[in-house]
Amino acid sequence: MKRIGLISDTHHYLDDAVFTHFDECDEIWHAGDVGSVEILDKLAQFKPLRAVYGNIDAKEIRWQAPEHLRFELEGFRVWMTHIGGAPPKYNPHVRPELKNTTPDIFVCGHSHILRVMRDPQLNNMLYLNPGAAGREGFHKIRTLLRFVLDSGKISQMEVIELGKRGAIA
């Protein structure tokens, strides 16, 4: 059993509440647009971290995190990337790979739109986008996801709201 904390689009800002919400997690996954190496370091010092880089991330982050991360965990094939699109309109760069080698769980960031949904066109693949945890962007509420993977079963999916992003400019 693995308890996962999923975060994305921190954009140079890491709310201290993340550490409270992810305290009982076994791993943290960051789906890109981290913003600073310090955020990667803080998360990695707190819990085992899997991360990908996003379009705003500089070379220092790209040296530490790949663009695409594929792994197996608790009976699930997972693919995490920052710019993946969303069902059924996937990014044209990932669409062929999704169709050829469909993961069980596809994790993206980028849109700042929280989504948890199945894609019946791709073997009922689970699509996860935790929204945005940072202060930059058009989102109104900063969000995270938390869930459990256990021997091919996913459970306890929770949306965590960190509060308002701030005034919309």
Side-chain angles (χ1 to χ4, degrees):
M1 178 180 81
K2 294 285 184 182
R3 294 167 295 215
I4 309 300
L6 178 56
I7 187 171
S8 188
D9 294 275
T10 45
H11 289 263
H12 304 279
Y13 174 73
L14 185 60
D15 192 316
D16 287 338
V18 168
F19 298 101
T20 301
H21 292 298
F22 289 172
D23 187 50
E24 294 185 17
C25 291
D26 299 302
E27 292 186 4
I28 297 173
W29 300 354
H30 196 302
D33 276 3
V34 179
S36 69
V37 173
E38 291 77 21
I39 288 175
L40 283 181
D41 291 345
K42 284 180 183 178
L43 292 172
Q45 289 169 9
F46 180 60
K47 299 285 178 173
L49 176 66
R50 298 180 196 253
V52 294
Y53 72 76
N55 54 295
I56 68 136
D57 291 322
K59 63 184 176 185
E60 293 80 14
I61 292 171
R62 293 174 188 228
W63 289 335
Q64 293 186 34
E67 180 179 10
H68 303 281
L69 186 59
R70 292 174 180 87
F71 57 94
E72 292 189 16
L73 184 67
E74 287 293 324
F76 290 95
R77 290 170 295 129
V78 180
W79 180 8
M80 183 165 50
T81 192
H82 184 62
I83 303 176
K89 296 179 181 180
Y90 295 102
N91 178 314
H93 298 288
V94 303
R95 186 181 307 120
E97 182 73 20
L98 278 173
K99 289 183 178 182
N100 290 334
T101 312
T102 305
D104 301 305
I105 301 172
F106 185 52
V107 178
C108 300
H110 188 63
S111 70
H112 293 219
I113 299 170
L114 172 70
R115 286 188 185 155
V116 176
M117 60 191 296
R118 295 274 181 189
D119 187 341
Q121 301 299 316
L122 291 176
N123 300 325
N124 218 26
M125 175 188 77
L126 182 60
Y127 173 87
L128 299 177
N129 185 323
R135 291 180 171 163
E136 294 183 26
F138 63 88
H139 59 286
K140 293 182 180 180
I141 303 294
R142 296 176 295 112
T143 55
L144 310 167
L145 288 175
R146 188 172 55 196
F147 54 93
V148 173
L149 300 178
D150 189 3
S151 303
K153 295 181 182 172
I154 189 164
S155 63
Q156 300 178 40
M157 181 66 67
E158 298 175 87
V159 172
I160 299 165
E161 293 186 355
L162 296 172
K164 292 183 178 181
R165 177 191 62 82
I168 304 297

